[in-house]
Each structure stands twice: as structure tokens, then as C-alpha cells.
């Protein structure tokens, strides 16, 4: 039997609790008008009736993450726009845990999604909602992962897609957005993307897949709940709630969705508590807001960052709410050299190649463990949001050139010894 949808067909402000009927398309990416007027912008997110829920309703006949569609903000009759997203592995990092003196460190490896990032979860639900609402086109402001995911799912749905990006993003990111058929244009001033998007929403009826508020509130509310499924899968695979979940953060869509997923698990009796959520961010807008006790995060000073996809001067209320609700914290990770060093160390210790933005979460764990903020027996899950293949150039700059050798064992031994001396060797002898 197909589980009955728990979605109530309305959205609620995360700050003032004002409710709005679905679809309220003008609020997608803009947030609550009342809070906007107060100068404290906040997202609106879907509302569900979880009364009497025991266990997670699941429909194995549905593709990808849509097996959980009873807890997603969709009409039951809407066909799922899916590329088989979700179901990503929870990979133990025993050497990392031993090095840091922790009980267990695991990566929720979201690089296994169709466009190699966790944004596929948002895009799958958001584009399905766009089809349900009859949107004529979708538009997204993105430096890469978000745009590529929306472009791929829009292509799957047969929807026109426009991506507003910036010229400085790596060529690989631009290629990914274009190869799925999106029309991609760059703007010189990043906030101009939000102003243009708002006009396209208001004047042409296009559905915004990302935020267009300035300062930001987060992305389309329906898509945020696609991230709830990360929490469902973590507990299903681990068999319990981890002590900490560390998420790379800009506008905190993923963090907010993961928090909502764990809340569902507690409500359904599948979890007895919430994990402590930790935001890893290059420049610390959430960190500063938590310290000041404010409802607005940022702006804070920024500089160019190798973690460019999350290098924002702003955080969001939804991010602050997720951290405060779980007794969490935000950890600034501004040092490019440390991020790239951790990226290489993760490759050597675990055989995983994560994008620099993803690796900020591992650096945050190292900082927390080094300061004694994590108990020695803690189980920590790091959300690996995207693959390092999205920006190979940044990684390549940290690696030695590949030598050409004569076809003899002696020549090979000489070069291997030289690589070991330079720190580019293989296995334990080459680690540094």
C-alpha cells in the first residue's frame, strides 16, 4: 500500500511561524515577507502532520529518494523526476578516527549522486515540484553544484533551465551546467544574479530554484526538504543517531534539511535524540551571529577562497535555527592551505577525493578534536557534499609533476625515492 502523504499543503516561516498556502510561488527563494520587513529575513519551509507516526513511511516502488515521498512536499499524483539519487554510502574513516582520538569518523559520501553532489537531493524534489506546479521554466543562481544539479533534473523533466553564475567559477563547473542543456550566463557582480532572478520570477513566472533575497534566506523551500533524506539514511546505515554531524555551509539549505530529517526520526520513534549539528564555513557568518546572539548572520569580511562554493559573507536564519536547536556550533575554516592539505590527507587516509568546500567539514572536525570539544568516544559523521573532480586545478597545484622514467626497476626506484622525499609517495612511507 502506498503511504499517505503527511504534507499539509502549507509553508511556515522558520522565525515568526506565519503560515502561507502552497504554492505561494513569490516566496520561493525570497522567504517570509513579514520578517523581511523587520530586517530579519527568514525562509519558509513545508509543514507536515507527523501525529501518530511510527517508523518512516516508505514506498519501495518509488525511485531514488522518492521512496520517502510521504514526508516530502509533493502531491501523490506527481511523477517523480529522478536520476536515482540518494542511497549514498556511509564510509568509515578508521585511520582518521585513530589520528584524532575519536570513537568513529564517517563520511556520508554524497559524491555518489548523479551529478556528484548532494545538490541532487534538492534538485530532484524542487524540479518535481516545478512540474507539479506547471512552471514554464526554472532559474538558479549558482557557482556550480547547484546549477549542475538543477540543469540535469530540468533536462530529465523537459523543462527549460537558465543558470546565472559568475565568471570566476572553474571551467569544469561551467561545462557541467552547460552539458545538461541549461542556458548559462555570468554576471560581474554576484548579488546582481539575485536581483535579475527576482525580476524573472515576478515578470515571467519562472520558478526560482535558489534564493533571490538580499541578504539571503536559503533556497526553494520544497528542495530544502530533499536533504531530510540524508538524516534518514545516516540512521538507517549506522543503526543509531551519531553524536555530531558536520556539514559544509553557505546558506545552510543542507544543514536545515538534515536537522528537519533528524526531527522526523525523533518524532517517528526511530531516534531518541538529535545529533549536535556543526556548520563548517570559510569566513564565519554563522559563528559570529551565534556569538552575538542575533537572528541575522553577516555580512562578514571575505577574501577569495578555494572553498568558493560556500565562501559567503552571509549565513541564514535557517542555519542559525538548526545550530541553536541542536546545541551546535559553527567553525570558521578560512585557510586555503589547511583545506587543501586536508583534501590530500583524506585521499591518502581514506581513498576519498572531496571538493575543497566539502573538506572544510573535515578541517572543522580536526579543530574541534584538537581543542577537546569532541569526546574521545564520539561518533562523528562528515557530510561529503561534492567531488574534488569539480575543481581539479586547485588540487593539481599542490601535487608534484608526474615524472617520466626509464623502463627499469632501478630507474623506478630512484624516482619513487625522490617522490617520497618530496612528500608525493604512495602508502605509509609517502604520508606526511
Amino acid at each position: 500500500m502506498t503511504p499517505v502523504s503527511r504534507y499539509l499543503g502549507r509553508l511556515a516561516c522558520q522565525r515568526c511561524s506565519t503560515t502561507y498556502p502552497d504554492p505561494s510561488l513569490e516566496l520561493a527563494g525570497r522567504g517570509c515577507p513579514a520578517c523581511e520587513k523587520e530586517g530579519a529575513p527568514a525562509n519558509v519551509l513545508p509543514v507536515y502532520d507527523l501525529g501518530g507516526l511510527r517508523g518512516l513511511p516508505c514506498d519501495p516502488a518509488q525511485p531514488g529518494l522518492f521512496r520517502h515521498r510521504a514526508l516530502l512536499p509533493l502531491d501523490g499524483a506527481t511523477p517523480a523526476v529522478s536520476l536515482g539519487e540518494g542511497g549514498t554510502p556511509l564510509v568509515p574513516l578508521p585511520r582518521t578516527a585513530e589520528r584524532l582520538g575519536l570513537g568513529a569518523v564517517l563520511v556520508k559520501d554524497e559524491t555518489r549522486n548523479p551529478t556528484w553532489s548532494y545538490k541532487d537531493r534538492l534538485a530532484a524534489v524542487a524540479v518535481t515540484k516545478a512540474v507539479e506546479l506547471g512552471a514554464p521554466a526554472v532559474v538558479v543562481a549558482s557557482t556550480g553544484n547547484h546549477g549542475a544539479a538543477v540543469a540535469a533534473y530540468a533536462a530529465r523533466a523537459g523543462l527549460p533551465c537558465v543558470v546565472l553564475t559568475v565568471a570566476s567559477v572553474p571551467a569544469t563547473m561551467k561545462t557541467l551546467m552547460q552539458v545538461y542543456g541549461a542556458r548559462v550566463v555570468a554576471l560581474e557582480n554576484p548579488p546582481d544574479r539575485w536581483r535579475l532572478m527576482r525580476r524573472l520570477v515576478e515578470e515571467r513566472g519562472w520558478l526560482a530554484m535558489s534564493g533571490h533575497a538580499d541578504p539571503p534566506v536559503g533556497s526553494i523551500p520544497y528542495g530544502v526538504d530533499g536533504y531530510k533524506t540524508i538524516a534518514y539514511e545516516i540512521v538507517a546505515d549506522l543503526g543509531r543517531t551519531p553524536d555530531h554531524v558536520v556539514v559544509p555551509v553557505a546558506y545552510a539549505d543542507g544543514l536545515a534539511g538534515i536537522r528537519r530529517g533528524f526531527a522526523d526520526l525523533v518524532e517517528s520513534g526511530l531516534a531518541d535524540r538529535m545529533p549536535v549539528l556543526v556548520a563548517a564555513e570559510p569566513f564565519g557568518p554563522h559563528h559570529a551571529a551565534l556569538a552575538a546572539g542575533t537572528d541575522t548572520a553577516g555580512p562578514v569580511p571575505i577574501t577569495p577562497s578555494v572553498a568558493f562554493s560556500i565562501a559567503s559573507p552571509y549565513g541564514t536564519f535557517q542555519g542559525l535555527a538548526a545550530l541553536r536547536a541542536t546545541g551546535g556550533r559553527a567553525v570558521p575554516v578560512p585557510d586555503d592551505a589547511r583545506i587543501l592539505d586536508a583534501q590530500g590527507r583524506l585521499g591518502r587516509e581514506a581513498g576519498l577525493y572531496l571538493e575543497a568546500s566539502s573538506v572544510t567539514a573535515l578541517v572543522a572536525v580536526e579543530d574541534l578534536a584538537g581543542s577537546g570539544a569532541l569526546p574521545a568516544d564520539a561518533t562523528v559523521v562528515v557530510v561529503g557534499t561534492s567531488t574534488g573532480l569539480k575543481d581539479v586545478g586547485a588540487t593539481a597545484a599542490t601535487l608534484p609533476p608526474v615524472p617520466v622514467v626509464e623502463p627499469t626497476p632501478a630507474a623506478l626506484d630512484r624516482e619513487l625515492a625522490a617522490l617520497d622525499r618530496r612528500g608525493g609517495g604512495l602508502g605509509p612511507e609517502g604520508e606526511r
Side-chain angles (χ1 to χ4, degrees), residues 168-190:
S168 60
V169 302
T172 300
M173 288 293 198
K174 295 173 186 173
T175 299
L176 276 171
M177 292 185 280
Q178 290 177 305
V179 76
Y180 298 120
R183 288 169 288 176
V184 182
V185 299
L187 286 82
E188 289 290 342
N189 182 29

Side-chain angles (χ1 to χ4, degrees), residues 6-78:
R6 296 289 183 136
Y7 179 48
L8 292 178
R10 62 177 184 263
L11 308 171
C13 175
Q14 298 304 287
R15 178 173 176 267
C16 71
S17 300
T18 300
T19 60
Y20 302 91
D22 185 342
S24 295
L25 295 183
E26 71 280 5
L27 305 185
R30 179 174 182 171
C32 174
C35 290
E36 183 181 38
K37 289 179 182 178
E38 291 181 14
N43 211 353
V44 294
L45 294 176
V47 180
Y48 303 85
D49 178 8
L50 302 183
L53 185 64
R54 290 296 174 264
L56 287 183
C58 185
D59 184 356
Q62 290 285 326
L65 59 73
F66 292 96
R67 61 189 177 274
H68 298 298
R69 71 177 299 154
L71 296 176
L72 297 173
L74 301 169
D75 186 282
T78 306

